[in-house]
Structure formats: C-alpha cells, structure tokens
Amino acid sequence: MRLASLALFLSAAVLGAAQAIGADKNDDPDRENTYFNGKRVPPLLELTTDNFDTEIKQSKFVVVKFFSPWCPHCTDFAPTYQTLYEYYYTSKAPTDSDSDSAATVSFGKYYDIRFAEVNCIAYGDLCAKNDVQSWPQTTLFEDGKVVDSIRGGKAIGILSKMIEDALEREFPGTRPKGELPLPEPGASAFPSEKSEDIAQKNKEPAKDDSTATTKTTSQKVDDTKPPKPTKTPNEQGISVSLTAESFQNLVTMTQEPWFIKFYAPWCHHCQAMASNWQQLAKEMKGKLNVGEVNCDAESRLCKDVHLHGYPTVLFFRGGERVEYNGLRGLGDFIQYAEKALDICSGVQDVDAASFKALEEKEDVIFVYFYDHATSSEDFMALERLPLSLIGHAKLVKTQDPELYDRFKITTWPRLLVSREGRPTYYTPLTPREMRDTHLVLSWMKSVWLPIVPELTASNAREIMDGKIVVLGILNREDQETFLSAKREMKSAASEWMDKQIQYFQIERQNLRDAKQLRLEEAEDRNDQRALRAAKSIRINMDMSDRKEVTFAWVDGVFWQRWIRTTYGIDIKDGERVIINDEDNRRYWDMTITGSPIVPSRVSILETISKVTSSPPLIKPKLTISSFEKIFFDIRVTFSEHPYLSFGCIAGIAMGAASWFRGRLRRNRGHFRLEDNLPIKELKEGLLGTTANGKKD
C-alpha cells in the first residue's frame, strides 16, 4: 500500500513537471520525445488560435517562438530554441539545503515558466495580432502580456539572458551569478557532462529500490512508444469529399498540399469533368491529396472561398491557395499537379552546377540572389511567390559567387529571370519594392513566358492581346524540320530583343543629351528660371505607346482548321510565319517582296521592321470581313476615346434635332397678316392716315 502511494505521488510529480515547463499536456503519438542530460523531454507546446489566450495566462512566464516552417533562418534557429527548452526543462530548481523539495519540484513548476511555439503560416492572424513582423521571433510573456522580444535567430546566450533577467526580477537571489554554462545548439547534455558519462550513469544500479523500479517502468514505457509515423498523402487514390469541418482540419490547419474541386451536382461542366477528376486522384495516389467540395451541401464554405463559377479548381498549401486556370483534360491536371508538388518542396537553393543542369530542363527560371545580410523579411516575401508560379516557371535562390559573376550581381537581394540563358532583371532595388509581393508578381507575369512559347488555348489571350506576335505555324510531326524552325525563330527573337535594347539605350541617351544641352545653355545665359526648368525635365522612357513584339509558335496540324479559316493558310503547303496584330484584327503573311514569310531569321527580321513602322510599309490583311471591320472600328473607338465619342454623338444628335425642328416649321407654315386683316386696312396701313392728312 505504501509502495502504491509512493508510485502515485511520483507520477503526479512527473505530470506536474511536464505541464509546468511547457510541454503538451497530452503526449501526441505523432510527435517524438527527445532526451537531454539523460532525461526524457516532451514535445514543445504548440499554440493555436483556439488555445493561445488560455495557455498564455495559465503560467507566470511563457516563452514563445514565432516561426515559419519554410523560413531558412527559422530552420537554422530551431536547434537553438529546442536546446534552450531542453536545458531549462531538465535544470534543477533552487531549494534549501535542509529541504527535500528538490526531489518533487521541477524547474518549470518552481518558476512557473513554460516554452511554446506558433506556426505563423498556419496561424498568420495570430502572429499579426502579436506584432510579429519577422521570423523567427522569440517573445517572453509575463501574466499574459509581452515583456520582451528578440527578433531573428540569436545565440542561445542572448535568449537565456532574457529569461534569467525575468526570473531574477521575480525571484531575487535564486539565479546563479555570472554567465551560465549553456550547452551548444543541438547538444544532448549539460556542458559539464559528456554523453558517455550520462550513459554510464544510466547503467549504474540505483540505490533506492523504489526509485529503480520507477525508472525501469518509465524506461519500458518510453521504449514501447511508437515512432512518429510519416503520413502518406492520398493513400487510397480517391477524391476525398470534404465538409467545412474536415476542410478546416485537413487543409487549412496543415501544410499538406491539396488539389480541390468545388462543384455543383447540377452543373454540366462539372459532370463532364468528373471522370477526369477521379482518374487524377488515382494517378496521384501516394503523391498528392485530391479532394472535392459539393457547394450545394457546403454553401457557406464555398461562399468563404469566394467562388465565381462552377467548377473551380484550387490548389491549397496551408493558408495559401492559387486557382487553376488551365484546360480540364486529364493530362493537363496531371502536369499541373506534378509541377505543384515540385514547387511545394520549397524554394530550391542552387549552385552553378545544379543551375546549369536546371537550365537544360526548364525554359524559364527566376533566380533570387541573396547574401549573409539578407533579412528574414526578404525571405518571407520570397516564400509567398512559388504558388503563383505553378505551371509557368521555376523559382530558385542562390548565394553562389560563380553565379554572381555570371549575371553581374553587385547588390543583394536581387531578382532576375533567365530565359534561354538571357537574363532580364527586376529593376526595383529598394527593400519595400523587393518585398512587395503584388509588384514582384506583376513583373513576373510580364516575363514568365519563354522567348518562343507554344500557343495553346490556355495562354492564347496572354500571348496575343496587346502585342504584335510573330507566329510560326509549324509541323510537330516532322521533328527535324520542326527543331530547325524553332531554332531559327529563337535566333530571330534573340536578335530582335538585342536590337530593341540598343534602340532603348540610344533613345534614352538622346533624351539625356537634350537635357544636358538645355542645362548648359541656361548656365551660359545665367538664366535661373530656364535652369530650374531644365533641371525639372524628367527622362520618360514610357514605351506604352508602342506595341511589344513577341514570338510564339503553334501546332499547325492540331490547329489546322482554325489557322485555315482565320489566316487562309494550310500546313500541308509547308511551314509558314505570320505577324499578327490581334487588337486591330489584322495580320501580315508576305514580305516586302511579296513572297510568303517562312521560319527563317532573315525572312522574319526584314519583315518585322516594315510592319512595326508607322504607318506599316506592307499592306495588312484582315482576320474578319470588311463589314465586321466597320463595327469593330466603331467599338474600338468608343473604348479608346469614350469622351470624344460621346461628344461626337451628342453633336450629331443636336444637329439632327435642329434639322428636324426646322423641317416641322416649314411643313406647318407661318403667321400671315393678310389672312386676318381687311384689304382696305392693308392698303392704308395699320395706323391709317397721318395727322396732317397726308398719305405715304
């Protein structure tokens, strides 16, 4: 009976210690315990939106790490914080020499201190509420209020000093004087004890039988603890039907990637896509979670997602999402899913060798250059970009000096896109502009197409609208001719881009020279007013008034009918090139000499210059009839010049109203005096004879 009471007492002491220092109250089988100084250490307490306020107020002191699982600095800082937690968890509480309370009171219970962590990707609102502006951030709470914070991955000594100062302030004289002998990050014992000594200590028989029995029992329990399982996504190869509750638990609250379809049972497009979606789930078995939401049954969930139509397909990773806008074929779904999985692995860090290998596989690569001074805010902004690039381009980061030299990088961080080895730089350099996700994404969307992309139904609007497109109509079935034609088009595209860069630089220099001449003239005349006016001149290189020339190719066999009806070209007659101006519904298929444009660098380049001149030196053809062109021009005029068009219409309406009013008056007649007065009065006048009897 006495032994049972003693065992019950020791169990309660161990449970109280675990809860006091900050471990989870319930051992989670999915999370592993660690061992420090020969003692078992439970996992860190994970704070969420639901339990944050409650847990923070339960203890006098709570040390909280705010982090992101994708942040490189957070990854480097994780061993430091874990070792700090294990060090204090296994430390001994200060007691009087003649007291036995050291055997029952833990460090955490004595000082009422716990350690915890918050995942800022899963609980972004919670981190924003606590003014977390960068990752990682270590914050000390006292009585539920913030008393101190340390930003960045600092050394363990800096974190310990923050804790020691707070403990000494609350419990004067209980903390050691001077610097504590702290372990190195990742260590498994106090600095004064080696792991071999701890192992030997564990092997020595205990003096007290009851203590030995308790230790043996505890060790057996720990040995039978199952290892942390690795969850396999989509184990059954099916599309999981999600409700609002399961969506929250499986998608939003985790970092697992999900490909989810939002549909309505009565939607015909949804019904047509259903078989491909089920087949996609089978193909992604063990790779990617696939789900679906019935918006008739889960209307509130679909409303929160802000759907615009059915079906809508979204890719989720934690609190982030991106909409799938591609075709709904099985192959299109699989291709997108595989690229999404690749991006979800994080922003890959590359060196010169791995980047060269990547260039052979990828047409478009965004490269983020950083150095040791790059802050966590910069990496936070970088982590928001990959999802939007799925299916378009690859994003990598590097700090390889060889790549610095290749791309002439002298400031950090810096962002560029490499297309066929040709770099295009993101020009803004200020920290605010580098961290502005919307600004960076807007630039990325303008350059994420390859130099000569394939024209498909999903990217046709992006390629054709607002641009003059050199479109190669090629035959993919003849591989030798096809590769040769693509090579010629890439050569023409590269040469044209080089010429445009040179033209841009020359024009900018001309504007600068003109400004300098005005400055010199004003200085020579000592005209301060003219000098101020010359200094206020801005070099405006806005190219919005000029149409961009891009290159693309289309499969002439697959799109044979559309090409024949729109451009009157049949791939059976050979590969051709057209220069298309979609905004004006016109195109050119002949050179200045009247011969067809062929996939040749010379043929293409000599025609582009004639087409882009104002006015064009070659007469264009129309993709619509002359009658349709009249209405098209009217519509374009109204859209481009709405106020002028409205004024013209108002003027025409007023002129028509004035003419109609005059015509009505003529038809109705005028007032005539002879119809109302006698003939005698008309002859004598209205006033009759004058006063002297004379008549006029």
Side-chain angles (χ1 to χ4, degrees), residues 326-383:
L327 301 178
R328 297 169 185 166
L330 177 60
D332 301 296
F333 282 142
I334 293 176
Q335 183 180 15
Y336 183 89
E338 290 175 346
K339 290 183 178 180
L341 284 175
D342 181 47
I343 285 182
C344 283
S345 60
V347 181
Q348 180 184 354
D349 208 319
V350 298
D351 55 16
S354 57
F355 182 76
K356 185 177 180 180
L358 192 62
E359 283 183 305
E360 298 177 358
K361 298 186 296 181
E362 300 288 341
D363 293 327
V364 182
I365 307 173
F366 288 95
V367 190
Y368 186 85
F369 295 88
Y370 69 97
D371 64 350
H372 65 281
T374 305
S375 65
S376 58
E377 289 90 343
D378 295 313
F379 286 109
M380 286 171 57
L382 182 66
E383 290 165 5

Side-chain angles (χ1 to χ4, degrees), residues 66-202:
F66 296 91
F67 75 102
S68 162
W70 313 110
C71 166
H73 296 287
C74 301
T75 304
D76 296 338
F77 178 67
T80 302
Y81 188 77
Q82 179 68 22
T83 304
L84 179 75
Y85 159 57
E86 294 172 347
Y87 170 78
Y88 279 107
Y89 181 87
T90 56
S91 295
K92 296 180 181 179
T95 55
D96 297 333
S97 58
D98 56 348
S99 174
D100 296 334
S101 59
T104 58
V105 180
S106 66
F107 183 93
K109 188 174 182 181
Y110 182 88
Y111 287 106
D112 196 14
I113 183 172
R114 297 194 296 167
F115 288 75
E117 61 182 1
V118 175
N119 185 339
C120 288
I121 296 298
Y123 308 103
D125 293 341
L126 180 59
C127 294
K129 180 181 177 182
N130 287 276
D131 195 28
V132 178
Q133 300 178 359
S134 62
W135 303 325
Q137 176 174 312
T138 308
T139 302
L140 176 63
F141 290 84
E142 182 178 354
D143 296 327
K145 297 181 180 179
V146 177
V147 293
D148 201 358
S149 289
I150 297 177
R151 294 181 179 177
K154 303 300 182 182
I156 192 171
I158 299 176
L159 302 175
S160 176
K161 186 178 185 307
M162 177 181 69
I163 297 173
E164 291 296 325
D165 291 345
L167 297 181
E168 181 65 26
R169 184 175 63 252
E170 185 69 22
F171 302 93
T174 61
R175 302 306 300 149
K177 302 296 182 182
E179 187 175 351
L180 287 175
L182 297 170
E184 293 292 329
S188 59
F190 291 128
S192 58
E193 295 182 286
K194 297 182 180 179
S195 57
E196 292 83 356
D197 299 335
I198 298 170
Q200 185 65 29
K201 185 195 299 183
N202 291 338

Side-chain angles (χ1 to χ4, degrees), residues 47-61:
L47 298 179
T48 66
T49 307
D50 298 331
N51 68 358
F52 184 85
D53 293 334
T54 304
E55 296 291 347
I56 287 295
K57 295 177 182 178
Q58 280 189 0
S59 301
K60 179 70 176 178
F61 298 101

Side-chain angles (χ1 to χ4, degrees), residues 397-682:
K397 60 184 178 180
T398 183
Q399 54 179 347
D400 190 342
E402 187 175 342
L403 290 176
Y404 293 165
D405 296 337
R406 173 182 169 182
F407 293 106
K408 299 178 175 59
I409 301 299
T410 56
T411 58
W412 295 269
R414 195 72 194 273
L415 180 65
L416 63 81
V417 59
S418 176
R419 297 181 292 176
E420 303 289 339
R422 293 180 57 90
T424 303
Y425 296 86
Y426 177 61
T427 52
L429 297 176
T430 63
R432 185 190 65 81
E433 292 171 323
M434 288 296 295
R435 298 167 189 169
D436 190 334
T437 306
H438 297 290
L439 186 64
V440 175
L441 274 179
S442 177
W443 171 78
M444 284 182 162
K445 290 178 181 179
S446 68
V447 294
W448 67 14
L449 289 174
I451 292 179
V452 185
E454 180 184 2
L455 183 72
T456 63
S458 58
N459 66 7
R461 295 288 82 182
E462 185 178 5
I463 293 175
M464 304 286 271
D465 286 352
K467 306 180 186 76
I468 294 177
V469 182
V470 180
L471 184 63
I473 303 171
L474 310 181
N475 185 359
R476 199 201 299 261
E477 296 176 356
D478 188 351
Q479 278 296 310
E480 184 177 353
T481 307
F482 171 70
L483 294 176
S484 175
K486 278 189 67 177
R487 188 164 49 249
E488 287 290 320
M489 291 197 65
K490 288 181 179 180
S491 177
S494 298
E495 189 168 339
W496 174 260
M497 291 172 66
D498 290 337
K499 288 182 178 179
Q500 294 305 299
I501 293 173
Q502 294 174 6
Y503 176 78
F504 178 86
Q505 293 173 345
I506 292 172
E507 184 176 1
R508 182 175 57 184
Q509 188 60 44
N510 290 337
L511 292 174
R512 288 176 175 173
D513 292 342
K515 180 178 180 179
Q516 185 62 30
L517 289 173
R518 288 177 177 269
L519 288 171
E520 293 174 356
E521 183 183 14
E523 289 175 353
D524 293 341
R525 294 186 305 176
N526 198 22
D527 188 344
Q528 296 299 321
R529 183 175 182 180
L531 184 62
R532 288 193 299 270
K535 288 182 178 180
S536 64
I537 296 175
R538 299 185 62 184
I539 306 300
N540 184 13
M541 295 302 296
D542 186 9
M543 308 292 285
S544 59
D545 59 332
R546 303 176 188 174
K547 277 198 174 181
E548 178 186 0
V549 177
T550 61
F551 291 71
W553 68 274
V554 64
D555 189 343
V557 176
F558 187 82
W559 298 100
Q560 182 178 10
R561 182 178 178 182
W562 170 70
I563 294 170
R564 187 171 59 244
T565 56
T566 306
Y567 304 111
I569 296 175
D570 197 331
I571 190 63
K572 295 178 181 178
D573 300 330
E575 295 181 329
R576 298 275 296 275
V577 173
I578 63 166
I579 301 177
N580 187 70
D581 182 6
E582 184 66 20
D583 290 352
N584 295 310
R585 301 296 191 270
R586 59 183 183 175
Y587 69 97
W588 294 263
D589 62 350
M590 295 291 178
T591 65
I592 192 68
T593 60
S595 58
I597 310 175
V598 296
S600 165
R601 182 181 65 87
V602 176
S603 179
I604 293 172
L605 291 176
E606 72 174 1
T607 310
I608 293 179
S609 58
K610 307 296 187 300
V611 167
T612 55
S613 61
S614 183
L617 301 180
I618 305 176
K619 185 179 179 180
K621 298 179 181 179
L622 299 177
T623 58
I624 55 179
S625 65
S626 300
F627 184 73
E628 291 175 318
K629 183 72 164 101
I630 295 173
F631 289 97
F632 175 78
D633 290 340
I634 293 174
R635 189 182 67 181
V636 170
T637 302
F638 270 85
S639 61
E640 293 182 352
H641 308 285
Y643 296 109
L644 180 61
S645 302
F646 179 78
C648 291
I649 293 176
I652 293 172
M654 292 177 64
S658 177
W659 175 83
F660 186 70
R661 182 180 178 186
R663 188 171 181 82
L664 285 177
R665 284 181 175 178
R666 285 194 298 272
N667 292 338
R668 189 170 52 190
H670 301 283
F671 177 76
R672 299 169 61 183
L673 292 174
E674 58 268 26
D675 294 339
N676 297 285
L677 296 176
I679 296 176
K680 180 180 180 181
E681 292 183 359
L682 282 173

